[in-house]
Amino acid sequence: MAFLPRARLLLLLAVVCIQLSGVLADGPDRCWCLNTLKKRVPREHIEEFSIFPRKSKCENVEIILTLKPVNNTSEVIQRCLSPDTKQGINLQLCWNRKNINNTSTFKISNCF
């Protein structure tokens, strides 16, 4: 009789661990980019970029630009670019063609 409560507890613990591992492996439970830029960002202003493919919790391809510092500040500024713009399409093509090491970020200078 004492075995049954322990077995249930172990089963519950296993289910919780499996659920947590799925959440951590899949990233945040929403899209990173809630608003995206529709205008072109001059490439001189872009330091690097990241592209996140569609995932179970976000149906959008997300392009996150890291901009170069302005006025010698150390502040990191990131903006989301719409993947449907001409610049977004070009960055995706560059990413797919040249990011052979599957790095998480890619220098803009590698594309142009």
Short mmCIF file of all heavy atoms in Angstrom, two decimals, residues 54-93:
data_model
loop_
_atom_site.label_atom_id
_atom_site.label_comp_id
_atom_site.label_asym_id
_atom_site.label_seq_id
_atom_site.Cartn_x
_atom_site.Cartn_y
_atom_site.Cartn_z
N ARG A 54 10.67 29.59 -37.73
CA ARG A 54 9.39 29.31 -37.08
C ARG A 54 9.58 28.20 -36.06
O ARG A 54 10.37 27.28 -36.27
CB ARG A 54 8.36 28.86 -38.12
CG ARG A 54 7.93 29.96 -39.03
CD ARG A 54 6.95 29.42 -40.09
NE ARG A 54 6.47 30.49 -40.90
CZ ARG A 54 7.05 30.91 -42.02
NH1 ARG A 54 8.13 30.30 -42.47
NH2 ARG A 54 6.54 31.91 -42.70
N LYS A 55 8.85 28.30 -34.96
CA LYS A 55 8.91 27.25 -33.94
C LYS A 55 7.51 27.01 -33.41
O LYS A 55 6.58 27.73 -33.76
CB LYS A 55 9.91 27.62 -32.84
CG LYS A 55 9.71 28.98 -32.23
CD LYS A 55 10.86 29.32 -31.31
CE LYS A 55 10.67 30.66 -30.67
NZ LYS A 55 11.19 31.79 -31.38
N SER A 56 7.38 26.04 -32.56
CA SER A 56 6.05 25.65 -32.11
C SER A 56 5.30 26.77 -31.41
O SER A 56 4.08 26.85 -31.50
CB SER A 56 6.14 24.43 -31.20
OG SER A 56 6.85 24.75 -30.02
N LYS A 57 6.02 27.66 -30.75
CA LYS A 57 5.35 28.72 -29.99
C LYS A 57 5.34 30.05 -30.72
O LYS A 57 4.85 31.04 -30.21
CB LYS A 57 6.01 28.87 -28.64
CG LYS A 57 6.09 27.54 -27.93
CD LYS A 57 5.72 27.61 -26.53
CE LYS A 57 5.68 26.18 -26.02
NZ LYS A 57 5.86 25.96 -24.70
N CYS A 58 5.91 30.10 -31.92
CA CYS A 58 5.91 31.33 -32.72
C CYS A 58 5.91 30.94 -34.19
O CYS A 58 6.85 30.32 -34.67
CB CYS A 58 7.14 32.18 -32.40
SG CYS A 58 7.16 33.72 -33.33
N GLU A 59 4.88 31.33 -34.88
CA GLU A 59 4.74 30.92 -36.28
C GLU A 59 5.47 31.85 -37.25
O GLU A 59 5.41 31.66 -38.46
CB GLU A 59 3.26 30.83 -36.66
CG GLU A 59 2.52 32.13 -36.55
CD GLU A 59 1.04 31.99 -36.84
OE1 GLU A 59 0.44 31.01 -36.39
OE2 GLU A 59 0.51 32.87 -37.52
N ASN A 60 6.19 32.85 -36.73
CA ASN A 60 6.89 33.81 -37.58
C ASN A 60 8.38 33.53 -37.63
O ASN A 60 8.98 33.12 -36.65
CB ASN A 60 6.71 35.24 -37.04
CG ASN A 60 5.26 35.61 -36.89
OD1 ASN A 60 4.43 35.25 -37.71
ND2 ASN A 60 4.95 36.32 -35.83
N VAL A 61 8.99 33.79 -38.80
CA VAL A 61 10.44 33.86 -38.88
C VAL A 61 10.81 35.20 -38.26
O VAL A 61 10.19 36.21 -38.55
CB VAL A 61 10.92 33.79 -40.35
CG1 VAL A 61 12.40 34.08 -40.44
CG2 VAL A 61 10.59 32.45 -40.96
N GLU A 62 11.81 35.21 -37.38
CA GLU A 62 12.17 36.45 -36.70
C GLU A 62 13.61 36.84 -37.04
O GLU A 62 14.52 36.01 -36.96
CB GLU A 62 12.02 36.28 -35.19
CG GLU A 62 10.58 36.00 -34.80
CD GLU A 62 10.41 35.85 -33.32
OE1 GLU A 62 11.01 34.92 -32.75
OE2 GLU A 62 9.68 36.66 -32.74
N ILE A 63 13.79 38.10 -37.41
CA ILE A 63 15.11 38.65 -37.72
C ILE A 63 15.38 39.74 -36.69
O ILE A 63 14.65 40.73 -36.60
CB ILE A 63 15.16 39.24 -39.14
CG1 ILE A 63 14.81 38.17 -40.17
CG2 ILE A 63 16.55 39.84 -39.40
CD1 ILE A 63 14.69 38.70 -41.59
N ILE A 64 16.43 39.54 -35.90
CA ILE A 64 16.79 40.51 -34.87
C ILE A 64 18.11 41.15 -35.26
O ILE A 64 19.14 40.47 -35.42
CB ILE A 64 16.90 39.85 -33.48
CG1 ILE A 64 15.55 39.23 -33.11
CG2 ILE A 64 17.34 40.87 -32.44
CD1 ILE A 64 15.53 38.50 -31.81
N LEU A 65 18.08 42.47 -35.44
CA LEU A 65 19.25 43.24 -35.81
C LEU A 65 19.89 43.80 -34.54
O LEU A 65 19.20 44.33 -33.68
CB LEU A 65 18.87 44.41 -36.71
CG LEU A 65 18.07 44.10 -37.97
CD1 LEU A 65 17.70 45.40 -38.68
CD2 LEU A 65 18.86 43.18 -38.89
N THR A 66 21.20 43.69 -34.43
CA THR A 66 21.95 44.36 -33.38
C THR A 66 22.63 45.55 -34.04
O THR A 66 23.43 45.39 -34.96
CB THR A 66 23.00 43.43 -32.74
OG1 THR A 66 22.32 42.29 -32.22
CG2 THR A 66 23.75 44.13 -31.64
N LEU A 67 22.26 46.75 -33.58
CA LEU A 67 22.77 47.96 -34.20
C LEU A 67 24.09 48.37 -33.59
O LEU A 67 24.39 48.06 -32.43
CB LEU A 67 21.73 49.07 -34.05
CG LEU A 67 20.34 48.75 -34.61
CD1 LEU A 67 19.40 49.92 -34.41
CD2 LEU A 67 20.39 48.34 -36.06
N LYS A 68 24.88 49.10 -34.38
CA LYS A 68 26.16 49.61 -33.89
C LYS A 68 25.90 50.67 -32.84
O LYS A 68 24.92 51.40 -32.90
CB LYS A 68 26.97 50.19 -35.06
CG LYS A 68 27.43 49.14 -36.03
CD LYS A 68 28.23 49.74 -37.15
CE LYS A 68 28.70 48.65 -38.10
NZ LYS A 68 29.40 49.20 -39.27
N PRO A 69 26.81 50.78 -31.86
CA PRO A 69 26.63 51.80 -30.82
C PRO A 69 26.64 53.20 -31.40
O PRO A 69 27.35 53.48 -32.37
CB PRO A 69 27.83 51.59 -29.90
CG PRO A 69 28.39 50.26 -30.25
CD PRO A 69 27.98 49.97 -31.65
N VAL A 70 25.87 54.08 -30.80
CA VAL A 70 25.78 55.47 -31.24
C VAL A 70 26.43 56.35 -30.17
O VAL A 70 26.24 56.14 -28.97
CB VAL A 70 24.30 55.88 -31.42
CG1 VAL A 70 24.18 57.32 -31.88
CG2 VAL A 70 23.62 54.94 -32.41
N ASN A 71 27.23 57.32 -30.60
CA ASN A 71 27.87 58.28 -29.69
C ASN A 71 28.71 57.61 -28.61
O ASN A 71 28.67 57.99 -27.45
CB ASN A 71 26.83 59.20 -29.05
CG ASN A 71 26.07 60.00 -30.08
OD1 ASN A 71 26.61 60.32 -31.13
ND2 ASN A 71 24.83 60.32 -29.79
N ASN A 72 29.46 56.58 -28.99
CA ASN A 72 30.39 55.89 -28.07
C ASN A 72 29.71 55.33 -26.81
O ASN A 72 30.32 55.28 -25.75
CB ASN A 72 31.55 56.82 -27.68
CG ASN A 72 32.39 57.18 -28.87
OD1 ASN A 72 32.58 56.38 -29.77
ND2 ASN A 72 32.89 58.40 -28.88
N THR A 73 28.47 54.95 -26.92
CA THR A 73 27.80 54.34 -25.77
C THR A 73 28.02 52.83 -25.81
O THR A 73 28.32 52.26 -26.86
CB THR A 73 26.28 54.61 -25.78
OG1 THR A 73 25.72 54.01 -26.95
CG2 THR A 73 25.99 56.11 -25.77
N SER A 74 27.86 52.20 -24.68
CA SER A 74 28.00 50.74 -24.63
C SER A 74 26.63 50.05 -24.69
O SER A 74 26.54 48.83 -24.58
CB SER A 74 28.74 50.32 -23.36
OG SER A 74 28.02 50.76 -22.23
N GLU A 75 25.59 50.84 -24.86
CA GLU A 75 24.23 50.30 -24.90
C GLU A 75 24.03 49.48 -26.17
O GLU A 75 24.36 49.92 -27.27
CB GLU A 75 23.22 51.44 -24.85
CG GLU A 75 21.79 50.99 -24.88
CD GLU A 75 20.82 52.16 -24.89
OE1 GLU A 75 21.26 53.31 -24.92
OE2 GLU A 75 19.61 51.90 -24.87
N VAL A 76 23.51 48.28 -25.99
CA VAL A 76 23.22 47.41 -27.13
C VAL A 76 21.77 47.65 -27.54
O VAL A 76 20.85 47.52 -26.74
CB VAL A 76 23.42 45.92 -26.76
CG1 VAL A 76 23.00 45.02 -27.90
CG2 VAL A 76 24.86 45.67 -26.37
N ILE A 77 21.60 48.02 -28.80
CA ILE A 77 20.26 48.29 -29.32
C ILE A 77 19.91 47.20 -30.32
O ILE A 77 20.67 46.94 -31.26
CB ILE A 77 20.18 49.67 -29.98
CG1 ILE A 77 20.52 50.76 -28.96
CG2 ILE A 77 18.81 49.90 -30.59
CD1 ILE A 77 20.64 52.14 -29.56
N GLN A 78 18.78 46.56 -30.09
CA GLN A 78 18.31 45.52 -31.01
C GLN A 78 16.94 45.91 -31.54
O GLN A 78 16.11 46.46 -30.81
CB GLN A 78 18.24 44.17 -30.31
CG GLN A 78 19.61 43.65 -29.93
CD GLN A 78 19.55 42.24 -29.37
OE1 GLN A 78 18.70 41.92 -28.57
NE2 GLN A 78 20.48 41.41 -29.81
N ARG A 79 16.73 45.61 -32.81
CA ARG A 79 15.45 45.87 -33.46
C ARG A 79 15.06 44.64 -34.25
O ARG A 79 15.91 43.94 -34.79
CB ARG A 79 15.53 47.08 -34.40
CG ARG A 79 15.86 48.39 -33.74
CD ARG A 79 14.66 48.89 -32.94
NE ARG A 79 14.93 50.17 -32.35
CZ ARG A 79 15.26 50.37 -31.08
NH1 ARG A 79 15.42 49.34 -30.28
NH2 ARG A 79 15.46 51.56 -30.61
N CYS A 80 13.76 44.42 -34.34
CA CYS A 80 13.25 43.31 -35.14
C CYS A 80 12.89 43.82 -36.53
O CYS A 80 12.22 44.85 -36.66
CB CYS A 80 12.02 42.72 -34.47
SG CYS A 80 12.40 41.87 -32.93
N LEU A 81 13.33 43.12 -37.53
CA LEU A 81 13.04 43.47 -38.91
C LEU A 81 12.04 42.48 -39.48
O LEU A 81 12.16 41.26 -39.26
CB LEU A 81 14.34 43.42 -39.74
CG LEU A 81 14.23 43.73 -41.22
CD1 LEU A 81 13.88 45.20 -41.45
CD2 LEU A 81 15.52 43.38 -41.94
N SER A 82 11.07 42.98 -40.21
CA SER A 82 10.08 42.10 -40.82
C SER A 82 10.77 41.19 -41.84
O SER A 82 11.52 41.67 -42.70
CB SER A 82 9.00 42.92 -41.51
OG SER A 82 8.16 42.07 -42.27
N PRO A 83 10.52 39.89 -41.79
CA PRO A 83 11.13 38.98 -42.75
C PRO A 83 10.55 39.12 -44.15
O PRO A 83 11.09 38.57 -45.11
CB PRO A 83 10.85 37.60 -42.16
CG PRO A 83 9.65 37.79 -41.31
CD PRO A 83 9.72 39.19 -40.79
N ASP A 84 9.46 39.87 -44.28
CA ASP A 84 8.79 40.02 -45.57
C ASP A 84 9.30 41.21 -46.37
O ASP A 84 8.94 41.37 -47.54
CB ASP A 84 7.28 40.16 -45.37
CG ASP A 84 6.69 38.95 -44.66
OD1 ASP A 84 7.17 37.82 -44.92
OD2 ASP A 84 5.77 39.12 -43.86
N THR A 85 10.14 42.06 -45.77
CA THR A 85 10.69 43.19 -46.50
C THR A 85 11.80 42.69 -47.43
O THR A 85 12.32 41.58 -47.26
CB THR A 85 11.27 44.25 -45.54
OG1 THR A 85 12.34 43.64 -44.80
CG2 THR A 85 10.21 44.79 -44.59
N LYS A 86 12.17 43.52 -48.40
CA LYS A 86 13.25 43.14 -49.31
C LYS A 86 14.54 42.90 -48.55
O LYS A 86 15.25 41.92 -48.80
CB LYS A 86 13.44 44.23 -50.36
CG LYS A 86 14.45 43.88 -51.41
CD LYS A 86 14.53 44.92 -52.50
CE LYS A 86 15.55 44.51 -53.54
NZ LYS A 86 15.69 45.50 -54.59
N GLN A 87 14.84 43.77 -47.58
CA GLN A 87 16.04 43.58 -46.77
C GLN A 87 15.96 42.30 -45.94
O GLN A 87 16.94 41.57 -45.82
CB GLN A 87 16.25 44.80 -45.86
CG GLN A 87 17.55 44.76 -45.10
CD GLN A 87 17.76 45.99 -44.23
OE1 GLN A 87 16.81 46.62 -43.79
NE2 GLN A 87 19.01 46.34 -43.99
N GLY A 88 14.80 42.01 -45.39
CA GLY A 88 14.61 40.78 -44.62
C GLY A 88 14.81 39.54 -45.47
O GLY A 88 15.45 38.57 -45.04
N ILE A 89 14.29 39.57 -46.67
CA ILE A 89 14.46 38.43 -47.60
C ILE A 89 15.93 38.26 -47.95
O ILE A 89 16.46 37.14 -47.95
CB ILE A 89 13.58 38.63 -48.85
CG1 ILE A 89 12.11 38.53 -48.46
CG2 ILE A 89 13.95 37.63 -49.94
CD1 ILE A 89 11.15 38.98 -49.54
N ASN A 90 16.63 39.38 -48.23
CA ASN A 90 18.05 39.30 -48.56
C ASN A 90 18.88 38.78 -47.39
O ASN A 90 19.82 37.99 -47.59
CB ASN A 90 18.57 40.67 -49.02
CG ASN A 90 18.06 41.04 -50.39
OD1 ASN A 90 17.72 40.17 -51.20
ND2 ASN A 90 18.00 42.33 -50.67
N LEU A 91 18.57 39.20 -46.18
CA LEU A 91 19.31 38.70 -45.01
C LEU A 91 19.07 37.21 -44.81
O LEU A 91 19.99 36.47 -44.46
CB LEU A 91 18.92 39.49 -43.76
CG LEU A 91 19.42 40.93 -43.68
CD1 LEU A 91 18.89 41.61 -42.43
CD2 LEU A 91 20.93 40.99 -43.74
N GLN A 92 17.85 36.75 -45.06
CA GLN A 92 17.57 35.31 -44.94
C GLN A 92 18.34 34.51 -45.99
O GLN A 92 18.87 33.43 -45.69
CB GLN A 92 16.07 35.05 -45.09
CG GLN A 92 15.25 35.54 -43.91
CD GLN A 92 13.77 35.33 -44.14
OE1 GLN A 92 13.29 34.22 -44.00
NE2 GLN A 92 13.07 36.40 -44.47
N LEU A 93 18.41 35.04 -47.21
CA LEU A 93 19.17 34.36 -48.26
C LEU A 93 20.65 34.28 -47.89
O LEU A 93 21.28 33.22 -48.05
CB LEU A 93 19.00 35.09 -49.59
CG LEU A 93 17.63 34.98 -50.25
CD1 LEU A 93 17.53 35.91 -51.46
CD2 LEU A 93 17.34 33.55 -50.66
#
